[in-house]
Amino acid sequence: MKVLGIETSCDETGVAIYDTRVGLLAHGLHSQIDLHAAYGGVVPELASRDHIRRLPLLIGRTLADAGLRAGDVDAVAYTSGPGLAGALLVGASVAESFAMARGIPALPVHHLEGHLLSPLLAADPPAFPFVALLVSGGHTQLMRVRGVGDYALLGESVDDAAGEAFDKTAKLLGLGYPGGPQLAKLAEQGVAGRFRLPRPMLHSGDLDFSFSGLKTAVLNVVSAPGWNPADMADLAAEFQQAVVEVLCAKALAAMKKVGLKTLVVAGGVGANRHLRETLDEAVARRGGRVYYPEPALCTDNGAMIAFAGALRLAAGEAGPEIAAVRIRPRWPLVELRPPQSARTSCET
Ligand code: KG4
Ligand code: ZN
């Protein structure tokens, strides 16, 4: 079965084709970074308009890269939430129309399920069950994952997500958009410990996070008299160290709590090198192993959506019977259920 995946939840247009027998056939991505850079953040209306312009062309190109025609596609999977409403509507409308015109199923996919399952696309994938650390621009969550759609929330951020903290801190340090990767790059040139920032909720006794205070602590440092901008790299390094320490400590605590030795890290912040090195070492010391998506699939992409959709379709899920443009800008991951085949859903 060949599944066309479409991702348009934020500022990346992603398209991919996943073949359940062969694997990933092709994937294409258009990033809107240049479009939003002048505004210092994503402008939702501009994002939607750009998805409209790019998506049909990107679908054509990705099909060509895979050596396929539109008629060869067996099903469409699209991100239906969470995300920006207007941006989601573009992907959902195109996906549903593509599917309706060809009489094939269209499956709405949860964006975070895409991230969460993306490490399974790697050459050496993890096996269920595992603990997942989802660290993106919008979410910071620890989940126990027993299988597709079997997710239990263990802890999450009570305010800013880890990626959001990176982006906001980068902005207040005057780094460009998107700030996360630039702040991480600057941190590599600095030394942590010269400044001392808090480790929020490190000893809270639960698996929740809080990152908004860190950004304020950084603001206090740079607005104090005597601040020398030449020390920016050291401050960036200390900020990164604080985020990584908390993420690592809570991930280890989650693994201990549910008795699992496999950790899966997904979402944009999972690209952070210092986070990877710290987690790899700490988990290995406890006899466990950390799995990540391929580097190109850490941030938003169509491949993870095609793949999550393909797993559900292959497990017998049929997709909604009535064609409709389905979006859910706010959608808790724990509301998902394992794939439901047509037969099972009749029985229940
Ligand atoms: O998963 P993603 O592409 O989009 C969401 O679903 O949010 O994650 C984007 C987030 C942004 O906040 C970005 O700054 C952050 O991931 N990010 C990083 C790095 N690369 C991306 N944060 C820290 N270090 C990085 N190397
Ligand atoms: Zn994402």
Side-chain angles (χ1 to χ4, degrees), residues 3-9 14 16 55 59 75-82 87-99 105-111 113 301-302 304-310 313 319-320 322-328 331:
V3 182
L4 171 69
I6 294 178
E7 155 65 35
T8 62
S9 68
L55 185 55
I59 291 175
V76 185
Y78 64 93
T79 303
S80 71
L88 290 168
L89 274 175
V90 177
S93 316
V94 170
E96 289 286 352
S97 320
F98 186 103
L107 196 72
V109 169
H110 195 293
H111 179 80
E113 178 167 73
N301 63 84
M304 66 184 195
I305 302 303
F307 180 62
L313 289 158
I322 299 166
V325 173
R326 292 176 172 83
I327 65 154
R328 245 184 107 175
W331 186 6

Short mmCIF file of all heavy atoms in Angstrom, two decimals, residues 3-9 14 16 55 59 75-82 87-99 105-111 113 301-302 304-310 313 319-320 322-328 331:
data_model
loop_
_atom_site.label_atom_id
_atom_site.label_comp_id
_atom_site.label_asym_id
_atom_site.label_seq_id
_atom_site.Cartn_x
_atom_site.Cartn_y
_atom_site.Cartn_z
N VAL A 3 1.08 5.20 0.61
CA VAL A 3 0.37 6.25 1.33
C VAL A 3 1.03 7.60 1.07
O VAL A 3 2.24 7.76 1.28
CB VAL A 3 0.33 5.97 2.85
CG1 VAL A 3 -0.47 7.04 3.59
CG2 VAL A 3 -0.27 4.59 3.12
N LEU A 4 0.22 8.56 0.63
CA LEU A 4 0.70 9.93 0.45
C LEU A 4 0.49 10.68 1.76
O LEU A 4 -0.62 10.71 2.30
CB LEU A 4 -0.12 10.60 -0.67
CG LEU A 4 0.07 12.10 -0.89
CD1 LEU A 4 1.46 12.40 -1.43
CD2 LEU A 4 -0.99 12.63 -1.85
N GLY A 5 1.55 11.24 2.32
CA GLY A 5 1.46 11.97 3.59
C GLY A 5 1.57 13.47 3.35
O GLY A 5 2.41 13.91 2.55
N ILE A 6 0.73 14.23 4.04
CA ILE A 6 0.72 15.69 3.87
C ILE A 6 0.78 16.37 5.23
O ILE A 6 -0.04 16.09 6.11
CB ILE A 6 -0.56 16.13 3.10
CG1 ILE A 6 -0.50 15.58 1.67
CG2 ILE A 6 -0.67 17.66 3.09
CD1 ILE A 6 -1.72 15.90 0.84
N GLU A 7 1.78 17.25 5.41
CA GLU A 7 1.96 17.98 6.68
C GLU A 7 1.95 19.48 6.40
O GLU A 7 2.77 19.98 5.63
CB GLU A 7 3.29 17.54 7.31
CG GLU A 7 3.93 18.55 8.25
CD GLU A 7 3.14 18.82 9.52
OE1 GLU A 7 2.51 17.90 10.05
OE2 GLU A 7 3.15 19.98 9.96
N THR A 8 1.00 20.19 7.04
CA THR A 8 0.95 21.66 6.88
C THR A 8 0.52 22.31 8.20
O THR A 8 -0.19 23.29 8.19
CB THR A 8 -0.08 22.09 5.80
OG1 THR A 8 -1.38 21.67 6.22
CG2 THR A 8 0.23 21.55 4.44
N SER A 9 0.96 21.74 9.36
CA SER A 9 0.40 22.26 10.62
C SER A 9 0.99 23.61 11.04
O SER A 9 0.39 24.32 11.82
CB SER A 9 0.62 21.25 11.74
OG SER A 9 1.98 21.13 12.04
N GLY A 14 5.17 19.75 4.05
CA GLY A 14 5.85 18.46 3.91
C GLY A 14 4.98 17.47 3.16
O GLY A 14 3.77 17.37 3.41
N ALA A 16 5.18 13.29 1.49
CA ALA A 16 5.99 12.08 1.36
C ALA A 16 5.12 10.93 0.87
O ALA A 16 3.90 10.97 0.97
CB ALA A 16 6.61 11.71 2.72
N LEU A 55 1.86 23.48 -1.85
CA LEU A 55 1.47 22.08 -1.66
C LEU A 55 1.21 21.32 -2.96
O LEU A 55 1.77 20.23 -3.16
CB LEU A 55 0.28 22.01 -0.69
CG LEU A 55 -0.17 20.61 -0.29
CD1 LEU A 55 0.97 19.79 0.28
CD2 LEU A 55 -1.32 20.68 0.73
N ILE A 59 3.43 18.08 -4.11
CA ILE A 59 2.85 16.74 -4.30
C ILE A 59 3.30 16.20 -5.67
O ILE A 59 3.76 15.05 -5.78
CB ILE A 59 1.31 16.78 -4.20
CG1 ILE A 59 0.89 17.09 -2.76
CG2 ILE A 59 0.69 15.45 -4.66
CD1 ILE A 59 -0.61 17.28 -2.56
N ALA A 75 -3.83 5.57 -0.55
CA ALA A 75 -4.49 6.27 0.57
C ALA A 75 -3.73 7.57 0.84
O ALA A 75 -2.56 7.70 0.49
CB ALA A 75 -4.48 5.39 1.82
N VAL A 76 -4.42 8.50 1.50
CA VAL A 76 -3.79 9.78 1.86
C VAL A 76 -3.86 9.93 3.38
O VAL A 76 -4.89 9.62 3.99
CB VAL A 76 -4.51 10.98 1.21
CG1 VAL A 76 -3.75 12.27 1.49
CG2 VAL A 76 -4.66 10.78 -0.30
N ALA A 77 -2.76 10.35 3.98
CA ALA A 77 -2.76 10.66 5.43
C ALA A 77 -2.38 12.12 5.56
O ALA A 77 -1.44 12.57 4.91
CB ALA A 77 -1.73 9.78 6.13
N TYR A 78 -3.12 12.86 6.38
CA TYR A 78 -2.79 14.29 6.51
C TYR A 78 -2.86 14.71 7.97
O TYR A 78 -3.63 14.16 8.76
CB TYR A 78 -3.72 15.15 5.66
CG TYR A 78 -5.18 15.12 6.06
CD1 TYR A 78 -5.71 16.08 6.94
CD2 TYR A 78 -6.04 14.14 5.57
CE1 TYR A 78 -7.06 16.05 7.31
CE2 TYR A 78 -7.38 14.11 5.93
CZ TYR A 78 -7.88 15.08 6.80
OH TYR A 78 -9.21 15.04 7.16
N THR A 79 -2.05 15.71 8.32
CA THR A 79 -2.07 16.25 9.68
C THR A 79 -3.38 17.00 9.87
O THR A 79 -3.63 17.98 9.18
CB THR A 79 -0.90 17.22 9.90
OG1 THR A 79 0.31 16.53 9.62
CG2 THR A 79 -0.88 17.73 11.34
N SER A 80 -4.19 16.55 10.82
CA SER A 80 -5.45 17.28 11.06
C SER A 80 -5.40 18.05 12.38
O SER A 80 -6.34 18.71 12.75
CB SER A 80 -6.64 16.34 10.97
OG SER A 80 -6.68 15.50 12.06
N GLY A 81 -4.28 17.97 13.11
CA GLY A 81 -4.10 18.74 14.33
C GLY A 81 -3.00 18.12 15.15
O GLY A 81 -2.51 17.05 14.80
N PRO A 82 -2.55 18.74 16.24
CA PRO A 82 -2.79 20.15 16.54
C PRO A 82 -1.93 21.04 15.66
O PRO A 82 -0.96 20.56 15.07
CB PRO A 82 -2.38 20.25 18.02
CG PRO A 82 -1.48 19.10 18.27
CD PRO A 82 -1.78 18.05 17.26
N ALA A 87 -3.53 26.87 8.47
CA ALA A 87 -2.52 26.03 7.83
C ALA A 87 -3.02 24.58 7.73
O ALA A 87 -2.89 23.92 6.70
CB ALA A 87 -1.22 26.09 8.63
N LEU A 88 -3.65 24.09 8.81
CA LEU A 88 -4.19 22.73 8.81
C LEU A 88 -5.27 22.59 7.73
O LEU A 88 -5.36 21.56 7.05
CB LEU A 88 -4.82 22.41 10.17
CG LEU A 88 -3.86 22.22 11.35
CD1 LEU A 88 -4.63 22.21 12.67
CD2 LEU A 88 -3.06 20.92 11.18
N LEU A 89 -6.11 23.63 7.58
CA LEU A 89 -7.20 23.58 6.61
C LEU A 89 -6.69 23.35 5.19
O LEU A 89 -7.34 22.65 4.41
CB LEU A 89 -8.02 24.88 6.65
CG LEU A 89 -9.13 24.95 7.69
CD1 LEU A 89 -9.75 26.34 7.70
CD2 LEU A 89 -10.22 23.90 7.40
N VAL A 90 -5.53 23.94 4.87
CA VAL A 90 -5.00 23.78 3.52
C VAL A 90 -4.66 22.31 3.26
O VAL A 90 -5.11 21.70 2.29
CB VAL A 90 -3.74 24.66 3.31
CG1 VAL A 90 -3.15 24.43 1.93
CG2 VAL A 90 -4.07 26.13 3.53
N GLY A 91 -3.89 21.71 4.18
CA GLY A 91 -3.49 20.31 4.00
C GLY A 91 -4.70 19.39 3.99
O GLY A 91 -4.79 18.46 3.17
N ALA A 92 -5.64 19.66 4.90
CA ALA A 92 -6.83 18.80 5.01
C ALA A 92 -7.68 18.89 3.74
O ALA A 92 -8.16 17.87 3.22
CB ALA A 92 -7.65 19.21 6.23
N SER A 93 -7.85 20.10 3.20
CA SER A 93 -8.69 20.26 2.00
C SER A 93 -8.04 19.57 0.80
O SER A 93 -8.72 18.86 0.04
CB SER A 93 -8.87 21.74 1.63
OG SER A 93 -9.14 22.49 2.76
N VAL A 94 -6.74 19.77 0.64
CA VAL A 94 -6.05 19.16 -0.50
C VAL A 94 -6.08 17.64 -0.37
O VAL A 94 -6.37 16.92 -1.32
CB VAL A 94 -4.59 19.70 -0.61
CG1 VAL A 94 -3.79 18.90 -1.62
CG2 VAL A 94 -4.61 21.18 -0.97
N ALA A 95 -5.82 17.14 0.85
CA ALA A 95 -5.79 15.68 1.06
C ALA A 95 -7.15 15.06 0.80
O ALA A 95 -7.27 14.04 0.11
CB ALA A 95 -5.34 15.39 2.49
N GLU A 96 -8.19 15.66 1.36
CA GLU A 96 -9.54 15.10 1.19
C GLU A 96 -9.96 15.16 -0.28
O GLU A 96 -10.60 14.24 -0.78
CB GLU A 96 -10.54 15.85 2.08
CG GLU A 96 -10.39 15.58 3.58
CD GLU A 96 -10.89 14.20 4.03
OE1 GLU A 96 -11.50 13.47 3.22
OE2 GLU A 96 -10.62 13.84 5.19
N SER A 97 -9.62 16.25 -0.98
CA SER A 97 -10.01 16.36 -2.39
C SER A 97 -9.27 15.34 -3.24
O SER A 97 -9.85 14.69 -4.11
CB SER A 97 -9.69 17.75 -2.95
OG SER A 97 -9.99 18.73 -2.01
N PHE A 98 -7.97 15.18 -2.95
CA PHE A 98 -7.14 14.21 -3.69
C PHE A 98 -7.75 12.82 -3.53
O PHE A 98 -7.90 12.06 -4.49
CB PHE A 98 -5.72 14.24 -3.13
CG PHE A 98 -4.72 13.39 -3.87
CD1 PHE A 98 -3.81 13.96 -4.75
CD2 PHE A 98 -4.68 12.00 -3.68
CE1 PHE A 98 -2.88 13.19 -5.43
CE2 PHE A 98 -3.76 11.21 -4.36
CZ PHE A 98 -2.86 11.81 -5.24
N ALA A 99 -8.12 12.49 -2.28
CA ALA A 99 -8.66 11.16 -1.99
C ALA A 99 -10.04 10.97 -2.61
O ALA A 99 -10.34 9.93 -3.19
CB ALA A 99 -8.72 10.94 -0.48
N PRO A 105 -9.15 6.13 0.56
CA PRO A 105 -9.36 6.70 1.90
C PRO A 105 -8.43 7.87 2.23
O PRO A 105 -7.30 7.92 1.74
CB PRO A 105 -9.07 5.53 2.85
CG PRO A 105 -8.43 4.47 2.04
CD PRO A 105 -8.62 4.76 0.59
N ALA A 106 -8.93 8.78 3.05
CA ALA A 106 -8.11 9.88 3.59
C ALA A 106 -8.15 9.75 5.10
O ALA A 106 -9.23 9.69 5.70
CB ALA A 106 -8.67 11.23 3.17
N LEU A 107 -6.98 9.68 5.71
CA LEU A 107 -6.91 9.45 7.15
C LEU A 107 -6.36 10.69 7.87
O LEU A 107 -5.23 11.10 7.62
CB LEU A 107 -6.00 8.25 7.43
CG LEU A 107 -6.11 7.65 8.82
CD1 LEU A 107 -7.43 6.90 8.97
CD2 LEU A 107 -4.95 6.69 9.08
N PRO A 108 -7.15 11.27 8.80
CA PRO A 108 -6.61 12.39 9.59
C PRO A 108 -5.60 11.85 10.61
O PRO A 108 -5.87 10.87 11.28
CB PRO A 108 -7.85 12.95 10.32
CG PRO A 108 -9.03 12.20 9.78
CD PRO A 108 -8.53 10.93 9.18
N VAL A 109 -4.43 12.50 10.69
CA VAL A 109 -3.36 12.01 11.58
C VAL A 109 -3.02 13.09 12.61
O VAL A 109 -3.03 14.28 12.31
CB VAL A 109 -2.11 11.64 10.74
CG1 VAL A 109 -0.90 11.38 11.63
CG2 VAL A 109 -2.39 10.42 9.87
N HIS A 110 -2.73 12.65 13.83
CA HIS A 110 -2.30 13.54 14.91
C HIS A 110 -0.82 13.87 14.69
O HIS A 110 0.01 12.96 14.58
CB HIS A 110 -2.50 12.85 16.25
CG HIS A 110 -2.45 13.77 17.43
ND1 HIS A 110 -1.29 14.40 17.80
CD2 HIS A 110 -3.40 14.17 18.31
CE1 HIS A 110 -1.53 15.14 18.88
NE2 HIS A 110 -2.82 15.03 19.19
N HIS A 111 -0.51 15.17 14.64
CA HIS A 111 0.86 15.62 14.37
C HIS A 111 1.88 15.00 15.35
O HIS A 111 2.96 14.57 14.96
CB HIS A 111 0.90 17.15 14.45
CG HIS A 111 2.24 17.76 14.22
ND1 HIS A 111 2.76 17.95 12.95
CD2 HIS A 111 3.17 18.22 15.08
CE1 HIS A 111 3.96 18.51 13.06
NE2 HIS A 111 4.23 18.69 14.34
N GLU A 113 1.59 12.23 17.05
CA GLU A 113 1.74 10.80 16.81
C GLU A 113 2.77 10.59 15.70
O GLU A 113 3.58 9.67 15.74
CB GLU A 113 0.41 10.14 16.44
CG GLU A 113 0.58 8.66 16.14
CD GLU A 113 -0.73 7.89 16.08
OE1 GLU A 113 -1.47 8.06 15.10
OE2 GLU A 113 -1.03 7.11 17.02
N ASN A 301 7.75 17.25 9.05
CA ASN A 301 7.94 16.66 7.71
C ASN A 301 6.74 15.81 7.33
O ASN A 301 5.93 15.43 8.18
CB ASN A 301 9.21 15.81 7.70
CG ASN A 301 9.11 14.63 8.65
OD1 ASN A 301 8.57 13.59 8.30
ND2 ASN A 301 9.59 14.79 9.88
N GLY A 302 6.64 15.49 6.04
CA GLY A 302 5.51 14.68 5.55
C GLY A 302 5.72 13.19 5.79
O GLY A 302 4.75 12.43 5.88
N MET A 304 6.74 11.51 8.39
CA MET A 304 6.21 10.97 9.66
C MET A 304 4.68 10.85 9.60
O MET A 304 4.10 9.96 10.24
CB MET A 304 6.64 11.84 10.85
CG MET A 304 6.06 13.24 10.85
SD MET A 304 6.73 14.21 12.23
CE MET A 304 5.58 15.59 12.27
N ILE A 305 4.05 11.70 8.80
CA ILE A 305 2.59 11.65 8.69
C ILE A 305 2.17 10.48 7.79
O ILE A 305 1.26 9.72 8.10
CB ILE A 305 2.03 13.00 8.15
CG1 ILE A 305 2.46 14.15 9.08
CG2 ILE A 305 0.51 12.96 7.98
CD1 ILE A 305 2.05 14.01 10.54
N ALA A 306 2.91 10.33 6.66
CA ALA A 306 2.64 9.19 5.77
C ALA A 306 2.82 7.89 6.55
O ALA A 306 2.01 6.96 6.45
CB ALA A 306 3.59 9.23 4.58
N PHE A 307 3.88 7.83 7.36
CA PHE A 307 4.22 6.61 8.10
C PHE A 307 3.18 6.30 9.18
O PHE A 307 2.69 5.16 9.28
CB PHE A 307 5.61 6.77 8.72
CG PHE A 307 6.06 5.58 9.50
CD1 PHE A 307 6.24 4.34 8.88
CD2 PHE A 307 6.34 5.67 10.86
CE1 PHE A 307 6.65 3.23 9.61
CE2 PHE A 307 6.77 4.57 11.58
CZ PHE A 307 6.92 3.35 10.97
N ALA A 308 2.81 7.31 9.99
CA ALA A 308 1.80 7.07 11.04
C ALA A 308 0.48 6.64 10.40
O ALA A 308 -0.19 5.71 10.89
CB ALA A 308 1.60 8.34 11.87
N GLY A 309 0.12 7.28 9.29
CA GLY A 309 -1.11 6.90 8.59
C GLY A 309 -1.02 5.48 8.06
O GLY A 309 -1.95 4.68 8.19
N ALA A 310 0.15 5.14 7.49
CA ALA A 310 0.33 3.80 6.92
C ALA A 310 0.22 2.73 8.00
O ALA A 310 -0.38 1.67 7.79
CB ALA A 310 1.69 3.72 6.23
N LEU A 313 -3.48 2.37 8.77
CA LEU A 313 -4.21 1.74 7.66
C LEU A 313 -3.84 0.25 7.56
O LEU A 313 -4.71 -0.60 7.37
CB LEU A 313 -3.89 2.46 6.35
CG LEU A 313 -4.52 3.87 6.23
CD1 LEU A 313 -3.77 4.71 5.21
CD2 LEU A 313 -6.01 3.78 5.88
N GLY A 319 -10.37 4.68 8.12
CA GLY A 319 -10.54 6.12 7.88
C GLY A 319 -12.02 6.45 7.92
O GLY A 319 -12.87 5.57 7.76
N PRO A 320 -12.36 7.71 8.14
CA PRO A 320 -13.77 8.09 8.24
C PRO A 320 -14.54 7.73 6.97
O PRO A 320 -14.01 7.84 5.88
CB PRO A 320 -13.71 9.61 8.42
CG PRO A 320 -12.31 9.91 8.83
CD PRO A 320 -11.45 8.85 8.26
N ILE A 322 -17.32 9.16 5.85
CA ILE A 322 -17.82 10.33 5.14
C ILE A 322 -16.68 11.32 4.93
O ILE A 322 -15.99 11.70 5.88
CB ILE A 322 -18.97 11.00 5.94
CG1 ILE A 322 -20.09 9.98 6.08
CG2 ILE A 322 -19.46 12.27 5.25
CD1 ILE A 322 -21.13 10.34 7.09
N ALA A 323 -16.49 11.70 3.65
CA ALA A 323 -15.41 12.64 3.36
C ALA A 323 -15.74 14.00 3.97
O ALA A 323 -16.85 14.50 3.84
CB ALA A 323 -15.24 12.77 1.84
N ALA A 324 -14.80 14.55 4.70
CA ALA A 324 -14.98 15.88 5.28
C ALA A 324 -13.61 16.42 5.63
O ALA A 324 -12.69 15.65 5.91
CB ALA A 324 -15.84 15.80 6.55
N VAL A 325 -13.47 17.73 5.58
CA VAL A 325 -12.20 18.36 5.94
C VAL A 325 -12.15 18.41 7.46
O VAL A 325 -12.88 19.16 8.08
CB VAL A 325 -12.09 19.76 5.31
CG1 VAL A 325 -10.85 20.48 5.80
CG2 VAL A 325 -12.08 19.66 3.78
N ARG A 326 -11.31 17.55 8.05
CA ARG A 326 -11.28 17.44 9.51
C ARG A 326 -10.03 18.10 10.06
O ARG A 326 -8.92 17.65 9.78
CB ARG A 326 -11.30 15.97 9.93
CG ARG A 326 -12.61 15.30 9.62
CD ARG A 326 -12.57 13.81 9.96
NE ARG A 326 -13.90 13.25 9.82
CZ ARG A 326 -14.41 12.85 8.66
NH1 ARG A 326 -13.70 12.95 7.56
NH2 ARG A 326 -15.65 12.37 8.60
N ILE A 327 -10.19 19.13 10.88
CA ILE A 327 -9.03 19.69 11.57
C ILE A 327 -9.35 19.85 13.05
O ILE A 327 -10.50 20.03 13.43
CB ILE A 327 -8.57 21.06 10.98
CG1 ILE A 327 -9.64 22.14 11.17
CG2 ILE A 327 -8.16 20.94 9.54
CD1 ILE A 327 -9.07 23.53 11.21
N ARG A 328 -8.31 19.74 13.88
CA ARG A 328 -8.45 19.94 15.32
C ARG A 328 -7.25 20.70 15.82
O ARG A 328 -6.24 20.10 16.20
CB ARG A 328 -8.57 18.60 16.03
CG ARG A 328 -9.94 18.44 16.69
CD ARG A 328 -10.02 17.18 17.46
NE ARG A 328 -9.98 17.46 18.89
CZ ARG A 328 -10.12 16.56 19.82
NH1 ARG A 328 -10.29 15.30 19.49
NH2 ARG A 328 -10.10 16.88 21.08
N TRP A 331 -5.66 19.34 20.29
CA TRP A 331 -6.00 17.92 20.25
C TRP A 331 -5.03 17.16 21.15
O TRP A 331 -3.90 16.89 20.76
CB TRP A 331 -5.90 17.43 18.79
CG TRP A 331 -6.35 16.04 18.54
CD1 TRP A 331 -6.94 15.17 19.40
CD2 TRP A 331 -6.24 15.34 17.29
NE1 TRP A 331 -7.21 13.99 18.76
CE2 TRP A 331 -6.80 14.06 17.47
CE3 TRP A 331 -5.72 15.68 16.04
CZ2 TRP A 331 -6.85 13.12 16.45
CZ3 TRP A 331 -5.77 14.74 15.01
CH2 TRP A 331 -6.33 13.48 15.21
#
